[in-house]
Amino acid sequence: MGFLSNHNYRIVAIPGEGIGPEVVEASLKILQHVAQIERFTLQVDYGWLGATAFEQFGSYFPEATAQLCDGADGIVFGAVSQGGLLELRKHFDFFCNLRPIASVNSLLHKSSLRPEKVQGLDILIIRELVSGIYFGPSGRSSDDQGTYGYHTMRYYDEEIRRIARKALQQAQNRRGLLTVAHKENALPHLPWTRLVREEARQFPDVVIEPMLVDNLAMLMVLNPQQFDVILAGNLFGDILSDIGGALVGSIGLLGSASLNADGFGLYEAIHGTAPDIAGLGIANPLGTLGACVLMLQQWGEVQAAQRIIKAQDRILAKGYRTADLSPQGEEILVNTETLVDLLIEELSIGQYSELGAIYA
Ligand code: IPM
Ligand code: MG
């Protein structure tokens, strides 16, 4: 795209609560800057979700927000503490949740593991996002033994097949290994292994590695470099992806994209509202920014995405760190605003040095 693009995009920003508004604002500032450099425009409409939506509209996921999102090119979301998010994901059928977990060279020593265990780490977790135990029959009831609650892990075969096809495509374009998280020794009626293998007939180059999810969790912390693409249902994918935060040094670094069959997407960090640091201006915006990078890639704005990745790598290599990365020694503690300023400055330098190269 780049010079040829001249595209006008419309996104809906849903800041939400806690640190949500801070990380969304920070990311949008960077996005607008890169849009200017790459010559596309970004119209931003603001939407409501969660507790703030409830206060205003009496609903955690108001109709007004749904309508605003209709026909947009993407949704950039911060965080909410309760209500709305699952409804939003379900409403637009964002079934395919991509959660990349890649180590950053200058942050290897921030990992919970020894640096050599995470060097070159590049895992893509693909999490089914609109079914499974999050959406199965649930409730509270009582019988002669007492009161009880229940949530049902239910998957239609076709729901497993469609996410399997997405995971197979991704694995085919990467290193060709697809690990399938399952729990068939205890939950035999959810035959992920068989269904994925059947879909895999169309992808002969992909190696399928079914793995009990408990064992998978252990291997992720013992030897994460062995994984390429990990496919998991909604609940298992939620749990496994937080391990990714420990591996790369902070959950604040991880972004995600949730796509529907049309390629329309919701882009959010994988962390939550972080109420302990909300309003202090010290949150790490790189998770949400990482999600925005996935949005740019989804649009085909690969040059813009690359610019942000490079600027981020350089700023981190210079030692700038938000508080979640507990800066030590030579490293420099910065707040959200300063990190954004540094990134914007770095993006501009990147731009001019490239122009220099063109005119040289
Ligand atoms: C995530 C979060 C959400 C989830 C919560 C906030 C409902 O943990 O996106 O990983 O479980 O999907
Ligand atoms: Mg989670």
Side-chain angles (χ1 to χ4, degrees), residues 21 38 56 59 78 92 103 105 107 118 132 137 145 152 168 180 217 278 288-289 305 347 351-352:
E38 289 292 334
Q56 207 155 321
S59 159
F92 288 104
S103 58
N105 273 334
L107 298 179
V118 287
Q145 290 179 61
T152 316
L168 286 157
V180 182
T288 305
L289 186 61
L347 281 165
Q351 175 191 19
Y352 295 130

Side-chain angles (χ1 to χ4, degrees), residues 33 37 307 343-353:
H33 193 78
I37 298 175
R307 276 187 196 281
L343 283 165
I344 286 178
E345 205 175 304
E346 194 65 47
L347 281 165
S348 308
I349 294 169
Q351 175 191 19
Y352 295 130
S353 62

Side-chain angles (χ1 to χ4, degrees), residues 168-312:
L168 286 157
Q169 267 159 20
Q170 292 283 343
Q172 183 163 269
N173 294 331
R174 289 169 50 101
R175 301 189 298 281
L177 174 64
L178 177 60
T179 303
V180 182
H182 68 88
K183 189 63 191 168
E184 287 160 23
N185 54 357
L187 312 172
H189 300 305
L190 294 170
W192 282 78
T193 303
R194 175 174 64 79
L195 296 170
V196 175
R197 279 202 197 285
E198 284 172 14
E199 294 303 317
R201 289 185 195 134
Q202 308 298 320
F203 300 83
D205 301 335
V206 177
V207 174
I208 308 296
E209 176 187 51
M211 201 175 275
L212 287 162
V213 66
D214 45 352
N215 185 37
L216 202 172
M218 181 176 72
L219 291 175
M220 265 185 91
V221 296
L222 278 179
N223 181 25
Q225 287 149 332
Q226 69 181 264
F227 295 106
D228 178 10
V229 179
I230 296 175
L231 169 63
N234 209 341
L235 180 62
F236 297 161
D238 177 47
I239 298 167
L240 294 177
S241 55
D242 269 34
I243 298 178
L247 297 178
V248 301
S250 166
I251 196 164
L253 292 167
L254 298 178
S256 90
S258 308
L259 306 173
N260 68 14
D262 302 327
F264 176 47
L266 166 69
Y267 301 88
E268 55 174 311
I270 82 164
H271 62 68
T273 54
D276 51 330
I277 60 162
L280 301 181
I282 61 169
N284 188 345
L286 296 181
T288 305
L289 186 61
C292 292
V293 167
L294 293 172
M295 178 172 75
L296 292 171
Q297 288 168 341
Q298 176 69 10
W299 290 346
E301 296 286 354
V302 285
Q303 221 165 281
Q306 212 47 40
R307 276 187 196 281
I308 296 179
I309 293 169
K310 275 192 206 154
Q312 176 179 320

